[in-house]
Amino acid sequence: MWGTSISLFLLFSPLQVIASEQAQQPFDFGEMSAPNYSLPPLPYAYDALEPYISAQIMELHHGKHHQTYITNLNAALKTQTEAVHTSDITTQVSLQQGIRFNAGGHINHSLFWQNLSPASSPDAKTSAAPKLVQQIKATWGDEDKFREAFKASLLGIQGSGWGWLIRVQVGQESRLAIVTTKDQDPVVGKGEVPIFGVDMWEHAYYLQYLNGKAAYVENIWNVINWKTAEERFVGTQADAFKILKASM
Amino acid sequence: MSSTLLRTSAVRSGLRVSAPKAARAGLAGTTFIRGKATLPDLAYDYGALEPAISGQIMELHHSKHHQTYVTSFNTFSEQIAEAAATSNIQQQIALQPLINFHGGGHVNHSLFWENLAPKSQGGGEPPKGELAGKINDAYGSLEKFQGEFNKALAGIQGSGWAWLVQDNVTKDVVIKTYANQDPVIGQFRPILGIDAWEHAYYLQYQNRKAEYFKAIWDVINWKAAEKRLA
């Protein structure tokens, strides 16, 4: 294969000219541009989750908090691209924690908005997720026991973080698990598919629930989007994350 | 199993009855008798730190959040004492993160209330003497120190605290951040702390936390900080 290419290369002089022109600028990689993420629009109005999550919380959470993660992520990725371009490895390493935090914030919130739904929608009923509910019952016994376990995990978070129902694929076996993550650590492990997440940062509930986070955890069940949950449950990790591609 | 539970609950009720009398040594349950943590009173009114920190924030922060740390710390302290008495090592280990979190929350907030003061009681008046000297040596000026401290606060990813701490060995002062309710212990002693949890500012400042970090210096009690210096 290589032999064929080389011989062709030698036969046609126009190619040789092009090749030598390129060789004169060995370090020009062309336009170096970092990916630029933008805020994905909410699939519903800011007040659509009331009375369970107030419009004021939603507007600040989406318009300010999520936007700030994206702004900081884009800035860090731009600096990282420059650092890769100039082979500045110390800068690349120093940027990693900031990228993890801000990219995690962007990933988590993008998934979160989609896995919420106005309570009046049929999507907010567990009947929208027949396969997932069957698996939940097989895992925890019944829906109530699952909700109790999920609630206990959420309330056990010490500081800022998230609770997730995830599907874990291990070879042919697929199982459900409740996991909590600290700060903005995203669920991106091998074989892990996020099904739905609940934001346990204080900014997610404080203006409405104050120190009463147990009430927030109770009420959020009214606005879980089970249709999205079912789609993520039967889909792949890449399917769950397709919202991120759409926000580039 | 049931006999263990019975014994435990008997010990527990014994503890509740005798807890205030910490000097009752010689009883079978001596090792459980200890003073309970209690919510310290504020040295100023809830509204006294306005406009830097609203009265509503102070009331919730002190009477609800701090109280919850106190209550939970007492609960888990009892449980760890019981686990120790029954030589249940696994349970003692399992309880340690809860002791760290709730005990840390109690310690941090107790120090925090003390290192705040209304302007009328000296809040915001710059440090003097040895502490002022150490800050100037380390950071050049109080303004530069505050700039660095606010940068540290803004850089906390999630819930946590920023502290001016003193190294117990070198006696130097340095700014450190701590995650969640991790307390300042070990090599360092706490001199001055600022709470960067969202519940400390959100009702008033929402996502504009930089404004809270700027405003809080108006109610910092530097006299309390000076007294903590070794």
Side-chain angles (χ1 to χ4, degrees):
Chain A
M1 189 65 190
W2 275 110
T4 313
S5 301
I6 289 164
S7 56
L8 280 172
F9 203 71
L10 293 172
L11 274 172
F12 298 102
S13 57
L15 279 175
Q16 280 177 295
V17 172
I18 291 165
S20 69
E21 270 176 3
Q22 284 175 337
Q24 282 167 0
Q25 299 170 326
F27 297 109
D28 182 5
F29 294 98
E31 283 278 305
M32 293 296 294
S33 63
N36 205 50
Y37 291 93
S38 58
L39 187 65
L42 282 190
Y44 38 76
Y46 282 135
D47 63 359
L49 306 183
E50 291 203 353
Y52 307 109
I53 304 178
S54 74
Q56 189 194 11
I57 287 178
M58 289 301 294
E59 185 164 0
L60 282 163
H61 201 172
H62 178 259
K64 302 292 183 184
H65 289 278
H66 190 171
Q67 180 60 61
T68 301
Y69 291 116
I70 292 169
T71 304
N72 292 340
L73 172 63
N74 286 336
L77 291 176
K78 185 166 179 285
T79 310
Q80 190 197 40
T81 302
E82 289 159 5
V84 169
H85 197 178
T86 56
S87 301
D88 179 353
I89 199 166
T90 50
T91 298
Q92 290 176 50
V93 174
S94 73
L95 286 163
Q96 284 178 358
Q97 185 50 37
I99 290 173
R100 178 179 181 82
F101 180 69
N102 290 295
H106 176 44
I107 291 169
N108 289 334
H109 287 92
S110 298
L111 294 170
F112 182 52
W113 308 135
Q114 285 204 325
N115 72 223
L116 297 178
S117 157
S120 57
S121 163
D123 298 351
K125 306 282 176 285
T126 50
S127 53
K131 292 192 178 110
L132 173 58
V133 168
Q134 192 182 2
Q135 186 67 35
I136 283 173
K137 284 176 178 165
T139 308
W140 283 279
D142 59 48
E143 275 181 54
D144 283 345
K145 282 183 188 150
F146 160 69
R147 287 178 195 214
E148 280 306 309
F150 199 80
K151 180 183 175 180
S153 292
L154 291 176
L155 295 180
I157 293 172
Q158 298 180 340
S160 300
W162 292 73
W164 292 92
L165 174 65
I166 66 167
R167 182 169 66 76
V168 189
Q169 188 78 41
V170 186
Q172 291 301 305
E173 195 201 350
S174 177
R175 61 182 177 84
L176 292 175
I178 297 166
V179 295
T180 59
T181 54
K182 70 174 177 61
D183 305 325
Q184 291 299 353
D185 285 354
V187 177
V188 289
K190 192 170 182 292
E192 293 178 351
V193 180
I195 292 173
F196 62 76
V198 175
D199 191 347
M200 289 305 290
W201 280 59
E202 289 176 318
H203 66 234
Y205 61 84
Y206 205 83
L207 291 177
Q208 189 176 356
Y209 293 93
L210 308 176
N211 61 303
K213 62 180 173 181
Y216 162 69
V217 168
E218 281 292 329
N219 279 347
I220 198 120
W221 291 114
N222 294 293
V223 290
I224 292 294
N225 189 326
W226 288 94
K227 182 163 176 274
T228 297
E230 180 83 345
E231 285 165 6
R232 289 181 189 161
F233 175 64
V234 299
T236 64
Q237 191 185 53
D239 294 334
F241 290 143
K242 64 180 185 284
I243 178 68
L244 298 170
K245 295 245 187 274
S247 69
M248 278 181 75
Chain B
M1 185 64 184
S2 59
S3 73
T4 307
L5 282 173
L6 193 66
R7 199 164 62 233
T8 305
S9 84
V11 166
R12 258 179 146 166
S13 39
L15 171 65
R16 281 197 200 93
V17 171
S18 58
K21 299 168 190 164
R24 285 178 66 177
L27 294 175
T30 304
T31 48
F32 300 111
I33 297 174
R34 54 199 304 281
K36 287 200 174 205
T38 53
L39 184 67
D41 289 334
L42 290 189
Y44 40 81
D45 293 336
Y46 286 137
L49 304 183
E50 292 191 351
I53 307 176
S54 74
Q56 189 194 10
I57 287 178
M58 287 301 295
E59 183 165 1
L60 282 162
H61 202 172
H62 177 258
S63 71
K64 303 291 184 186
H65 290 278
H66 190 170
Q67 180 62 61
T68 301
Y69 290 117
V70 169
T71 306
S72 303
F73 173 71
N74 286 332
T75 301
F76 296 123
S77 291
E78 266 186 44
Q79 290 180 11
I80 208 166
E82 288 163 15
T86 54
S87 301
N88 186 338
I89 294 173
Q90 292 92 327
Q91 179 67 358
Q92 290 177 68
I93 295 169
L95 285 163
Q96 279 175 3
L98 292 159
I99 296 283
N100 181 71
F101 182 67
H102 296 284
H106 176 41
V107 169
N108 288 336
H109 286 93
S110 299
L111 292 166
F112 182 53
W113 310 133
E114 276 183 5
N115 70 220
L116 297 177
K119 276 188 168 180
S120 61
Q121 293 173 35
E125 280 176 24
K128 295 183 190 130
E130 197 186 351
L131 179 55
K134 283 183 182 292
I135 288 172
N136 284 334
D137 288 348
Y139 296 96
S141 69
L142 182 62
E143 288 70 32
K144 283 183 187 160
F145 161 76
Q146 288 169 335
E148 290 302 314
F149 202 100
N150 285 2
K151 242 188 268 176
L153 282 164
I156 293 172
Q157 298 180 336
S159 300
W161 293 72
W163 289 90
L164 175 66
V165 301
Q166 184 178 23
D167 189 311
N168 283 322
V169 179
T170 67
K171 306 297 177 195
D172 289 334
V173 293
V174 65
I175 297 165
K176 283 176 67 71
T177 60
Y178 290 75
N180 302 323
Q181 295 297 355
D182 288 352
V184 181
I185 50 175
Q187 186 187 346
F188 301 101
R189 74 168 50 231
I191 305 298
L192 169 73
I194 295 181
D195 190 347
W197 279 60
E198 291 177 319
H199 66 235
Y201 63 83
Y202 207 82
L203 291 178
Q204 188 176 358
Y205 296 95
Q206 289 93 40
N207 62 304
R208 305 179 314 278
K209 62 180 175 182
E211 291 177 26
Y212 159 68
F213 298 148
K214 191 161 173 277
I216 199 167
W217 295 103
D218 289 343
V219 291
I220 290 297
N221 183 349
W222 282 104
K223 281 199 179 68
E226 287 164 16
K227 285 179 194 156
R228 292 175 185 162
L229 212 57

